Amino acid sequence: MTHPDHSPLRDRALAFRALHVPGRPLVLPNAWDTASARLVEDAGAAAVATTSAGLAWALGAADGDRLGREDALRAVADVVAAVRVPVTADVESGYATDPEGVAGTVRAVLAAGAVGINIEDALHEGDAPLRPVAEQAERIAAARAAADALGVPLFVNARVDTFLRGAGGVDLTLERAAAFVAAGADGVFVPGAVDPETVKLLVEGVQAPLNVMAGPGAPPVAELAGLGVARVSVGSGIAQAAHALVRRAARELLDAGTYGSLAGGLDYGELNALFAGGR
């Protein structure tokens, strides 16, 4: 019986892992489909990260554990096929109700060719904002074990939604982060925390590369680098900006009958050439 050779995937995973350097952060302009992924790569990104919200919206679903695993991973596979750089996939809560389901998602992620995941601890049903820490640790451990069983050092980025969900501050974040790193997470992602003093405390307290989510009002990448951040992403920010342009242009055309919002668009020939040669 033959087994698939995961050597190329393993090499790509190692290359992606090496990009996480505190003080010299991996900068990820998140993509949501093949076109945005190709544009991000063309802009010079060392890797492509998907945004679960942007990907879900592109497929006609809401964010927050509402998109099915099959649809999500098919889109991730399309992104992987569109670029040459490593891809990391935002898999929300793992597209599963239990640890074994999370393991199945990880196997599907690797089959799609991605070499990293974000997995969040937020709960989108019920009254509690966050999944119990022990339960989330089990899910992370299942993700780690599934990747290790295939011999691929998948970068597991544990998202801690304490700040994003208003569920706690630095102390609770560090407590949860420690449990997730002990369970096998390679990095910790704390969206909603961009205040320099807070970021500094998180960098000092998290025993793994720290990922922050930036956007308007956040410190520039250079300042975050100086604080010791290892990864900077923008979540659904670019997708939101793109969709804002669609709405603005549509309303201008329908209401005023003018076309000013279309100014500054990419040249047709340049954009077409980006896709003409394939990957």
Side-chain angles (χ1 to χ4, degrees):
M1 181 178 182
T2 60
H3 298 277
D5 180 11
H6 294 291
S7 297
L9 198 61
R10 181 165 56 250
D11 292 344
R12 181 168 291 213
L14 288 170
F16 178 67
R17 179 179 294 269
L19 296 172
H20 295 77
V21 181
R24 198 171 74 239
L26 170 62
V27 181
L28 296 169
N30 300 73
W32 60 94
D33 61 7
T34 56
S36 59
R38 189 72 69 84
L39 287 165
V40 165
E41 180 186 43
D42 187 64
V48 169
T50 64
T51 157
S52 65
L55 190 149
W57 297 334
L59 296 177
D63 190 28
D65 292 335
R66 293 176 175 84
L67 186 65
R69 178 167 66 192
E70 185 175 337
D71 288 340
L73 271 297
R74 185 182 302 115
V76 169
D78 288 343
V79 167
V80 170
V83 298
R84 293 181 174 86
V85 297
V87 173
T88 181
D90 186 335
V91 297
E92 302 190 45
S93 296
Y95 302 122
T97 59
D98 56 22
E100 180 49 43
V102 172
T105 294
V106 164
R107 289 189 286 269
V109 164
L110 294 173
V115 292
I117 61 167
N118 280 4
I119 183 164
E120 66 190 52
D121 64 353
L123 278 174
H124 299 285
E125 293 183 354
D127 297 328
L130 303 177
R131 195 178 297 277
V133 65
E135 181 181 326
Q136 182 66 5
E138 288 180 6
R139 296 165 72 85
I140 289 170
R144 173 84 281 138
D148 290 351
L150 293 174
V152 180
L154 178 80
F155 193 96
V156 178
N157 203 29
R159 189 174 116 177
V160 183
D161 279 349
T162 40
F163 283 86
L164 196 63
R165 302 297 295 272
V170 171
D171 289 345
L172 182 60
T173 302
L174 293 179
E175 176 187 327
R176 296 178 74 86
F180 300 159
V181 171
D186 301 291
V188 172
F189 179 26
V190 187
V194 292
D195 171 73
E197 291 185 7
T198 299
V199 172
K200 187 173 187 297
L201 290 172
L202 292 174
V203 167
E204 293 172 348
V206 173
Q207 302 304 305
L210 182 73
N211 178 189
V212 300
M213 184 170 72
V221 170
E223 184 175 347
L224 293 171
L227 294 170
V229 170
R231 176 164 158 175
V232 179
S233 52
V234 294
S236 59
I238 297 176
Q240 289 173 253
H243 296 322
L245 172 60
V246 173
R247 172 183 279 180
R248 188 162 60 248
R251 285 181 171 170
E252 180 188 358
L253 179 60
L254 295 170
D255 296 342
T258 54
Y259 325 102
S261 298
L262 302 181
L266 285 174
D267 177 77
Y268 172 88
E270 178 186 358
L271 191 56
N272 208 45
L274 186 63
F275 299 96
R279 175 175 165 176

